[in-house]
Amino acid sequence: MSELSKSQIQKLKKTIPEKVGQRIKAIRNKLTISQTELGLRVGKDRQYVYKIEKGKVTPNITTVMILLIALDISASVFFKDLD
């Protein structure tokens, strides 16, 4: 196992939320669900969904899982090839 440098960690902190958000948005659009509708399904407001999709906030793993359940997609499928 290798140790991550500070710059690698910083890069991951930026890119992972962006990739997660992009993937959530792509799935939501494929299902033709609005941000408002997804927010209602998971008990969040549209603005929070927007911020997740834009990578402006980093949702915790519980929130990600709730979103995945609402989008009817498994975590293994969602996270496959995310790196």
Side-chain angles (χ1 to χ4, degrees), residues 30-66:
K30 184 176 180 180
L31 297 172
T32 64
I33 299 169
S34 69
Q35 288 176 338
T36 302
E37 174 63 26
L38 181 55
L40 289 171
R41 289 183 182 192
V42 299
K44 304 287 184 184
D45 63 19
R46 184 200 65 80
Q47 279 288 59
Y48 189 67
V49 173
Y50 166 82
K51 289 176 183 177
I52 290 171
E53 290 182 353
K54 290 294 184 181
K56 295 181 181 288
V57 297
T58 305
N60 65 39
I61 193 65
T62 303
T63 300
V64 171
M65 291 305 299
I66 290 168

Side-chain angles (χ1 to χ4, degrees), residues 1-82:
M1 187 181 325
S2 63
E3 187 174 325
L4 295 171
S5 70
K6 287 183 180 183
S7 64
Q8 288 173 312
I9 292 170
Q10 285 306 108
K11 182 180 178 186
L12 290 169
K13 284 183 177 183
K14 179 178 177 9
T15 60
I16 290 174
E18 290 172 351
K19 289 177 182 180
V20 166
Q22 290 167 356
R23 191 159 288 182
I24 287 172
K25 182 178 181 178
I27 295 164
R28 180 183 60 75
N29 285 334
K30 184 176 180 180
L31 297 172
T32 64
I33 299 169
S34 69
Q35 288 176 338
T36 302
E37 174 63 26
L38 181 55
L40 289 171
R41 289 183 182 192
V42 299
K44 304 287 184 184
D45 63 19
R46 184 200 65 80
Q47 279 288 59
Y48 189 67
V49 173
Y50 166 82
K51 289 176 183 177
I52 290 171
E53 290 182 353
K54 290 294 184 181
K56 295 181 181 288
V57 297
T58 305
N60 65 39
I61 193 65
T62 303
T63 300
V64 171
M65 291 305 299
I66 290 168
L67 287 164
L68 298 183
I69 291 166
L71 294 169
D72 195 30
I73 186 164
S74 71
S76 60
V77 170
F78 181 81
F79 287 107
K80 183 177 178 153
D81 302 324
L82 190 64

